[in-house]
């Protein structure tokens, strides 16, 4: 655990030093929330729905879109080869990265909650806060390890970025992030069930846990452990 905490601390410090990335991570969800809430914020229930939806979107963006490219950078720089020679498992290094991103998302979520409270009197109680935290952690683990697995599989062909972005857009527009899309069309609902996003949103919004999430967490992690053992560390 000490190794995980140390890696989390180091990654978090690196994020804080990258002012441009940190500003974008903070600004983009806040701007989206203000934009959509100003258009349809007359419905108090929608403001709450949107707030938690954007939290889920931030989880997916930081887990699915960012983690794979981070691994690719570490591979190209030779860091993975160096880590492979250390007396701790590489997975701890990436868990630290994932947890540091989760901390950033928690801070962003706090900013969203403050804006929602001040502008729309949207209050978040302790139970909802706990549900949100659990959803953030579960979502970051699921999406991050899916991204890591795709990157490891495609690391020689460099097609991982295209695949990850395609999956990201499919999930974004088929899930219930901005509105209940799965309830408007049966085809969209079927597509949404193929991905874990709505199940994660159900945790964040309602504290509802889907048993399939255990598979979504365990399978990508186990696959990563297997793939990282057979990767070519020639770089």
């Amino acid at each position: 655990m000490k190794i995980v905490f140390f890696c989390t601390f180091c990654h978090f410090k690196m994020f804080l030093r990258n002012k441009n990335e940190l500003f974008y991570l903070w600004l983009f969800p806040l701007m989206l929330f203000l934009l959509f809430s100003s258009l349809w914020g007359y419905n108090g229930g929608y403001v709450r729905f949107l707030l938690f939806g954007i939290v889920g979107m931030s989880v997916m963006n930081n887990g699915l879109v960012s983690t794979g490219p981070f691994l690719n950078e570490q591979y190209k720089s030779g860091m993975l080869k160096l880590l492979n020679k250390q007396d701790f498992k590489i997975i701890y290094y990436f868990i630290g990265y994932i947890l540091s991103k989760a901390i950033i998302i928690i801070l962003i979520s706090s900013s969203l909650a403050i804006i929602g409270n001040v502008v729309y009197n949207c209050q978040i109680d302790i139970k909802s806060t706990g549900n949100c935290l659990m959803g953030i952690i579960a979502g970051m683990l699921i999406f991050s390890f899916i991204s890591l697995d795709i990157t490891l599989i495609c690391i020689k062909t460099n097609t991982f970025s295209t695949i990850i972005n395609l999956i990201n857009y499919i999930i974004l527009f088929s899930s219930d992030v901005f509105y209940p899309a799965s309830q408007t069309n049966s085809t969209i609902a079927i597509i949404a069930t193929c991905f874990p996003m709505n199940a994660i949103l159900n945790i964040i919004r309602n504290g509802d846990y889907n048993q399939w999430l255990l598979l979504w967490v365990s399978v990508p992690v186990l696959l990563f452990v297997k793939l990282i053992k057979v990767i070519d560390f020639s770089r």
Side-chain angles (χ1 to χ4, degrees):
M1 290 300 294
K2 289 182 179 180
I3 296 174
V4 174
F5 288 139
F6 179 74
C7 291
T8 302
F9 175 74
C10 292
H11 286 303
F12 186 71
K13 284 186 65 177
M14 293 299 294
F15 285 137
L16 294 181
R17 291 176 181 176
N18 191 339
K19 304 299 182 183
N20 292 332
E21 181 181 0
L22 190 62
F23 179 73
Y24 173 76
L25 288 177
W26 226 293
L27 181 65
F28 183 65
L30 296 181
M31 291 298 293
L32 272 182
F33 177 67
L34 290 173
L35 174 63
F36 281 92
S37 60
S38 64
L39 294 174
W40 297 288
Y42 54 85
N43 185 333
Y46 178 73
V47 170
R48 185 183 182 88
F49 182 92
L50 176 66
L51 191 153
F52 288 129
I54 291 181
V55 171
M57 182 200 70
S58 299
V59 169
M60 183 176 66
N61 285 340
N62 284 276
L64 184 63
V65 179
S66 300
T67 311
F70 171 75
L71 182 147
N72 186 55
E73 291 176 2
Q74 302 302 296
Y75 174 75
K76 288 184 175 180
S77 68
M79 178 60 75
L80 281 187
K81 184 177 182 179
L82 178 63
L83 291 172
N84 190 50
K85 297 178 180 179
Q86 305 304 311
D87 58 351
F88 65 89
K89 296 181 179 179
I90 293 180
I91 192 173
Y92 296 154
Y93 180 76
F94 289 100
I95 289 177
Y97 175 86
I98 294 167
L99 291 177
S100 63
K101 281 277 190 174
I103 294 172
I104 297 294
I105 296 172
I106 291 171
L107 295 175
I108 294 172
S109 303
S110 301
S111 301
L112 288 169
I114 292 172
I115 293 175
N117 189 12
V118 172
V119 179
Y120 300 104
N121 195 29
C122 177
Q123 299 182 357
I124 309 299
D125 56 22
I126 296 177
K127 182 179 178 181
S128 297
T129 301
N131 293 336
C132 190
L133 290 174
M134 292 302 297
I136 289 172
I137 294 172
M140 281 301 298
L141 287 173
I142 292 170
F143 285 122
S144 295
F145 277 100
I146 289 175
S147 182
L148 290 172
D149 292 341
I150 293 173
T151 304
L152 286 174
I153 293 170
C154 305
I155 202 163
K156 294 296 185 180
T157 60
N158 285 325
T159 57
F160 63 89
S161 182
T162 302
I163 297 173
I164 287 172
N165 285 326
L166 178 61
I167 294 174
N168 177 63
Y169 286 119
I170 292 174
I171 295 175
L172 183 63
F173 292 109
S174 64
S175 61
D176 302 338
V177 173
F178 302 115
Y179 66 99
S182 60
Q183 299 178 18
T184 62
N185 185 283
S186 58
T187 303
I188 292 177
I190 293 172
I191 296 173
T193 57
C194 298
F195 301 99
M197 187 61 176
N198 281 346
I200 293 168
L201 288 173
N202 284 334
I203 296 177
I204 295 174
R205 288 178 174 138
N206 309 310
D208 295 335
Y209 293 84
N210 189 313
Q211 59 184 357
W212 289 106
L213 281 177
L214 291 175
L215 285 177
W216 278 111
V217 173
S218 58
V219 172
V221 172
L222 293 174
L223 182 59
F224 173 82
V225 172
K226 181 177 179 61
L227 290 172
I228 203 68
K229 289 180 179 179
V230 298
I231 189 173
D232 180 13
F233 287 107
S234 59
R235 287 182 178 270

